[in-house]
Amino acid sequence: MNIIGQSVPRKESWEKVNGKAKYTNDFESQEMLYGKLVTSPYGHAKIEEIDTSNALEITGVRTIITGGNFPLAGEEMRDRPPIAVGRVRYYGEVVAIVVADTLATAQLAATQIGITYSPLPVVNSPSEALQPGAPLLHENLGSYEKIAGVYPVPGTNIASKIKIRKGNIKKGWEESDVTIQGSFSFNPSEHAAMETRCSFAQIHENGMVEITSSSQAPFMIKKLIALYFGLPTGSIRVKTPLVGGAYGGKASVQLEIWAYIASKAVDGRLVKIVNDREEDMVTSPGHIGLEATVKLGCTKDGILKAAELLYLWDSGAYADKSIDLARAGAVDCTGPYRIENIYCDSLSIYTNHPYPAPFRGFSHSEVHFAFERAMGMLAKKINMDPLHFRYINAIKPGDTTPTQVKLNRSNIGNVQKCITRLKELIRWDDWQRIEVDENIIRAKGVSCIWKTSTIDTNSSSGVILMFNPDGSINLMSGVVEIGTGTKTILAQILAERLKMPVEKVYVQMLVNTQNTPEHWKTVASRGTFMAGRAVLKAADDVISELKERAACILRAPVEDLEVGYEKVFLRDDPGIHIPVKDIAYGYVYPNGNAVGGQIIGRGTYTLRHLTRMDKETGAGKPGPEWTVGAQGVEIEIDTRTYRYRLLKAVSVIDIGRVLNQKAAEGQVMGAMNMGLSFGGRETFLFDKYARVLNPQLRTYRPIRFGEQPEYIVDFVQTPQIDSPYGARGVGEHGLIGMPAALANSLSTALQVNLHHLPLTPELLWRTKERRT
């Protein structure tokens, strides 16, 4: 069989293209009630009074829930009231929930609730939050419950501080002949998934809590709802159907809490809460912002010697996942380069902005923008070709990461090979900057990328396989189908191992935590690796069962049998065999005696040898491997208007091994598009009161159809030994270097240093013309 590497159509594609695929908000029932969120119009204010009397008089309104007597929430640190109590800390924070017979009634009632606020001073950026006299957003920071690896600084706005200390930074500066320093920044922004978040919940008479949610993390919902409300985990059932885009934004647990609270307030009735677009953009977690300072030093020959880094992450009003984001940014703080001496502080800082969720790439596009722009500045200062500068400093097997993990060929791949291939595809040696005429300039920019996955050290994934009477197999995994095609990849892995047609592998798309094996979360490009390993183990389990059963029937030792091509056969004489379908549901002898039953296989996989990071040095192994790559962007800009066109975008990723060619290309292209949109267009605009001024897709404008460049994707294949068939995760990596490559291309074109995102024509004009 040769299924690995083939462009197998996705298992769920037909129901998606014919419009029959069901997402969370597609489910309705006659007994369903509806919740509507009432949110704050201020970034920071005291709640003086809430008057619900008029709203409660509206026919069809069941109840109105306000803050108080609810446990604090938060995955890393429990600092967030589900509904605001006493004051609001960000524009869009939920102050009340209306539950009514219809959504229209709930929306009407929400407009009739009278809330009196007293505005408070705001913190509008991480640097503002650190200023003397800045408003303290969490006076009780020192008393919040938190998990291991969270290091708040009580009495400040620092939710957590992560430190990386490798080598001797003083020695690094002494060995550096040339240094540069730059400051870089961008505001929080949005995921803009096509499907807005939606959850509904009910509490059955037997106490079973049932939640259906558009989520990347149904098992985390189960865990956290049990933790927050003191419920037995077995009494919670979470279902997740197909998810219409997530990009990290649906990894946070938020609407599910509100849906549970709302259901409990109406005696366990079924209650649905669905975000409108504005709520999805500002009330639910978005994309983190960053202020960064990068100082680099190298020898006159261009060998990097020192990196001193300060990353100030805009954690918004509540920490939630921002602490983990700051940690991930610290882990890979330098990009894929060999640097002996590193000093990095990565701080999660409270502001009065909407709080963040993970965003595709989990801090890496953010860090790489700052670091790769600094690399461009340093290459220019020593008058060295920027791609060659990266090539000679590329990290290799035998080197160590910022957290002091020693690398090998399996866990790092080949950065230099990616650079060489990028050089060919973008035709780097032909030209880097040309003046087409007196107004039009074309330019190219490059970046290198790497990413590991900073996830829980005990993260695991499980798979169950069940044979059907015709010899086909049902595959059940807790991986959520969020558009990545991972469940199709799992089917390919299974089909390859069993040497059977992939068409005879039926994948269950719905996740139900009561009967689907757990997969930690569908994040971090971990689905193929972790669930794939579980599939292989489950496949070995069913192979063993098939051989044992066939051994009795074929009267041959187990060790002489092989499984494949829908048969169990003698390895030295394949003509002696029995079809799998004849034994997969048991076997009936000619006299009527029966043995066995349905063959069921199971497999689990837990990441191995991961450790927590040392508090003082950051030393530790936070992830299993690094996917590396090189990326480039070619642009054309009109210096009269500072408008530019994206002409070409190139990615070369060391994927280990390609499992599904078209799926891999599609994942990388989609991520590249997001990266260019983030780098060139997307941002929240805040006024002086920390209110978001553009919370609609009319004013928040991702790249539209027709604005994309030509996308070129290629792969280097350096197999990862412990991964299914050598593959590495690639779901996020196409995004990571795009903002930096775009900034480098525009900096080259205009011959200025561009330090801020998004790279709008106005920003380019202001920077070039030195306008404020």
Side-chain angles (χ1 to χ4, degrees):
M1 304 293 282
N2 188 22
I3 298 167
I4 294 300
Q6 298 300 309
S7 298
V8 173
R10 283 163 52 162
K11 290 288 186 177
E12 81 283 13
S13 58
W14 179 245
E15 62 181 323
K16 284 184 174 179
V17 298
N18 67 20
K20 294 182 179 179
K22 283 192 174 292
Y23 298 84
T24 304
N25 196 32
D26 291 325
F27 293 91
E28 298 281 344
S29 68
Q30 290 185 342
E31 67 269 19
M32 183 176 281
L33 303 178
Y34 297 84
K36 180 61 182 175
L37 308 176
V38 181
T39 61
S40 167
Y42 294 95
H44 196 199
K46 183 179 179 182
I47 302 172
E48 299 287 359
E49 183 183 6
I50 301 177
D51 183 0
T52 63
S53 56
N54 289 339
L56 286 170
E57 290 178 0
I58 297 174
T59 302
V61 172
R62 297 288 178 147
T63 189
I64 297 174
I65 309 161
T66 56
N69 301 318
F70 296 120
L72 293 176
E75 189 171 334
E76 303 275 320
M77 182 164 63
R78 294 175 62 177
D79 62 354
R80 185 180 83 248
I83 303 173
V85 180
R87 63 168 162 164
V88 292
R89 292 181 173 88
Y90 72 96
Y91 173 85
E93 183 166 6
V94 171
V95 181
I97 303 173
V98 179
V99 181
D101 291 346
T102 68
L103 181 58
T105 301
Q107 290 171 328
L108 174 62
T111 66
Q112 300 304 305
I113 297 176
I115 306 177
T116 305
Y117 298 94
S118 294
L120 297 170
V122 303
V123 176
N124 229 347
S125 71
S127 54
E128 278 187 29
L130 297 181
Q131 295 298 315
L136 198 61
L137 300 188
H138 287 268
E139 298 85 351
N140 299 321
L141 179 57
S143 63
Y144 290 143
E145 293 182 44
K146 57 185 184 297
I147 65 172
V150 177
Y151 307 114
V153 183
T156 74
N157 286 316
I158 301 173
S160 188
K161 181 177 181 178
I162 304 297
K163 295 187 284 188
I164 301 292
R165 305 289 186 265
K166 177 188 173 187
N168 184 324
I169 194 66
K170 182 179 178 182
K171 178 174 176 285
W173 294 129
E174 290 172 350
E175 294 176 350
S176 297
D177 300 314
V178 183
T179 64
I180 61 95
Q181 181 171 314
S183 295
F184 310 88
S185 66
F186 48 84
N187 276 348
S189 54
E190 162 63 359
H191 301 81
M194 188 178 295
E195 177 202 27
T196 64
R197 296 165 178 90
C198 179
S199 295
F200 53 88
Q202 67 183 120
I203 305 170
H204 296 282
E205 291 183 0
N206 63 359
M208 174 66 71
V209 176
E210 184 173 339
I211 300 172
T212 300
S213 185
S214 174
S215 171
Q216 294 171 255
F219 294 93
M220 186 57 66
I221 296 170
K222 180 185 179 88
K223 175 183 175 181
L224 292 182
I225 294 292
L227 175 67
Y228 297 156
F229 297 99
L231 302 174
T233 54
S235 71
I236 301 169
R237 178 169 59 233
V238 181
K239 296 179 180 179
T240 296
L242 295 170
V243 173
Y247 316 117
K250 292 172 182 170
S252 297
V253 179
Q254 186 198 43
L255 262 69
E256 301 82 6
I257 300 172
W258 297 329
Y260 169 75
I261 288 172
S263 176
K264 191 172 182 180
V266 290
D267 300 322
R269 289 280 301 274
L270 181 63
V271 180
K272 177 192 281 188
I273 297 178
V274 57
N275 279 349
D276 61 29
R277 180 57 65 180
E278 183 166 334
E279 290 165 344
D280 216 50
M281 293 180 75
V282 296
T283 295
S284 289
H287 177 201
I288 201 165
L290 176 67
E291 294 179 356
T293 302
V294 178
K295 183 180 179 182
L296 299 180
C298 70
T299 68
K300 60 184 177 182
D301 298 322
I303 303 303
L304 289 169
K305 287 295 180 180
E308 190 168 334
L309 314 163
L310 176 63
Y311 295 125
L312 305 180
W313 299 93
D314 190 335
S315 298
Y318 302 105
D320 203 58
K321 292 301 294 180
S322 70
I323 292 171
D324 202 8
L325 290 163
R327 185 184 302 115
V331 164
D332 288 337
C333 58
T334 62
Y337 304 108
R338 180 179 62 257
I339 306 176
E340 299 170 358
N341 308 292
I342 301 171
Y343 187 103
C344 173
D345 284 337
S346 187
L347 281 63
S348 171
I349 299 176
Y350 290 120
T351 69
N352 288 119
H353 293 163
Y355 68 95
F359 179 81
R360 195 174 189 175
F362 207 78
S363 297
H364 285 67
S365 63
E366 299 85 345
V367 164
H368 279 67
F369 164 65
F371 197 88
E372 288 291 321
R373 274 299 300 123
M375 288 287 286
M377 293 165 61
L378 187 53
K380 184 177 181 180
K381 190 169 184 178
I382 63 174
N383 196 29
M384 182 177 287
D385 179 288
L387 203 51
H388 180 67
F389 180 49
R390 289 168 169 83
Y391 184 90
I392 64 174
N393 285 290
I395 204 162
K396 301 175 184 176
D399 295 332
T400 57
T401 71
T403 64
Q404 303 177 46
V405 177
K406 190 170 183 178
L407 299 170
N408 56 52
R409 188 171 182 269
S410 173
N411 65 16
I412 190 59
N414 195 325
V415 181
Q416 289 186 329
K417 195 170 182 180
C418 292
I419 293 173
T420 299
R421 184 60 177 143
L422 172 67
K423 188 176 183 179
E424 297 169 358
L425 291 173
I426 205 168
R427 301 180 66 177
W428 182 256
D429 288 340
D430 289 359
W431 56 270
Q432 296 170 34
R433 181 183 186 274
I434 56 173
E435 296 182 4
V436 178
D437 59 36
E438 60 179 340
N439 300 311
I440 305 298
I441 299 170
R442 288 183 180 176
K444 300 170 185 175
V446 295
S447 65
C448 290
I449 66 166
W450 72 338
K451 182 184 183 297
T452 191
S453 303
T454 50
I455 61 181
D456 293 355
T457 58
N458 64 343
S459 299
S460 65
S461 184
V463 164
I464 292 176
L465 305 175
M466 297 193 305
F467 272 96
N468 297 309
D470 63 355
S472 62
I473 298 181
N474 301 323
L475 189 159
M476 289 173 287
S477 162
V479 171
V480 178
E481 184 47 71
I482 57 175
T484 58
T486 303
K487 287 195 167 179
T488 301
I489 300 292
L490 298 182
Q492 287 183 256
I493 291 170
L494 177 62
E496 182 76 21
R497 186 61 154 239
L498 295 181
K499 299 181 180 64
M500 65 181 292
V502 71
E503 294 79 13
K504 291 196 172 183
V505 178
Y506 297 95
V507 182
Q508 178 177 292
M509 293 296 165
L510 174 72
V511 174
N512 181 335
T513 61
Q514 193 170 44
N515 52 38
T516 307
E518 179 166 346
H519 178 77
W520 176 66
K521 294 181 185 178
T522 307
V523 298
S525 302
R526 291 293 87 202
T528 295
F529 179 81
M530 293 173 61
R533 283 291 302 265
V535 165
L536 291 176
K537 189 173 181 181
D540 289 343
D541 193 25
V542 298
I543 287 170
S544 177
E545 290 189 61
L546 286 167
K547 285 182 178 180
E548 287 183 10
R549 190 165 296 175
C552 297
I553 301 162
L554 298 176
R555 296 185 298 277
V558 168
E559 56 269 23
D560 287 351
L561 299 177
E562 293 290 344
V563 176
Y565 311 99
E566 302 182 83
K567 303 172 184 177
V568 184
F569 55 88
L570 284 179
R571 58 184 178 179
D572 58 314
D573 187 358
I576 300 175
H577 68 269
I578 187 167
V580 166
K581 67 181 180 62
D582 289 351
I583 60 173
Y585 246 65
Y587 181 76
V588 180
Y589 287 94
N591 67 357
N593 292 164
V595 294
Q598 183 185 28
I599 289 180
I600 301 173
R602 78 277 189 218
T604 61
Y605 178 75
T606 301
L607 292 170
R608 54 178 170 80
H609 297 158
L610 301 188
T611 68
R612 296 193 178 100
M613 296 162 61
D614 183 86
K615 180 181 179 181
E616 299 303 322
T617 67
K621 186 178 180 182
E625 92 291 328
W626 284 256
T627 298
V628 299
Q631 299 182 291
V633 172
E634 180 183 330
I635 59 92
E636 180 180 271
I637 186 167
D638 187 332
T639 56
R640 294 167 297 184
T641 63
Y642 291 92
R643 293 175 65 87
Y644 61 90
R645 293 193 301 130
L646 302 168
L647 301 180
K648 184 182 296 183
V650 183
S651 287
V652 181
I653 313 291
D654 191 336
I655 197 173
R657 186 177 179 187
V658 176
L659 299 184
N660 183 314
Q661 184 71 34
K662 289 297 183 183
E665 290 174 359
Q667 280 296 290
V668 175
M669 287 184 190
M672 291 166 71
N673 188 75
M674 285 189 71
L676 289 171
S677 191
F678 160 43
R681 303 281 288 271
E682 297 187 49
T683 188
F684 281 152
L685 302 174
F686 296 94
D687 66 11
K688 64 181 180 179
Y689 304 109
R691 295 178 297 195
V692 180
L693 299 178
N694 58 330
Q696 313 93 9
L697 292 181
R698 296 190 304 274
T699 50
Y700 180 99
R701 294 181 59 81
I703 287 180
R704 265 44 174 189
F705 180 77
E707 298 174 335
Q708 298 91 345
E710 174 191 4
Y711 289 117
I712 300 173
V713 176
D714 200 6
F715 299 110
V716 169
Q717 299 191 57
T718 309
Q720 181 185 335
I721 294 172
D722 61 326
S723 178
Y725 297 104
R728 290 195 184 88
V730 78
E732 303 164 283
H733 301 79
L735 187 154
I736 293 172
M738 282 290 110
L742 176 61
N744 283 331
S745 67
L746 289 167
S747 295
T748 297
L750 297 176
Q751 297 181 312
V752 296
N753 287 320
L754 297 168
H755 290 183
H756 308 285
L757 298 179
L759 296 157
T760 61
E762 181 180 349
L763 175 78
L764 304 182
W765 169 72
R766 289 184 181 278
T767 305
K768 181 66 175 178
E769 304 294 334
R770 293 181 171 83
R771 304 296 181 103
T772 57

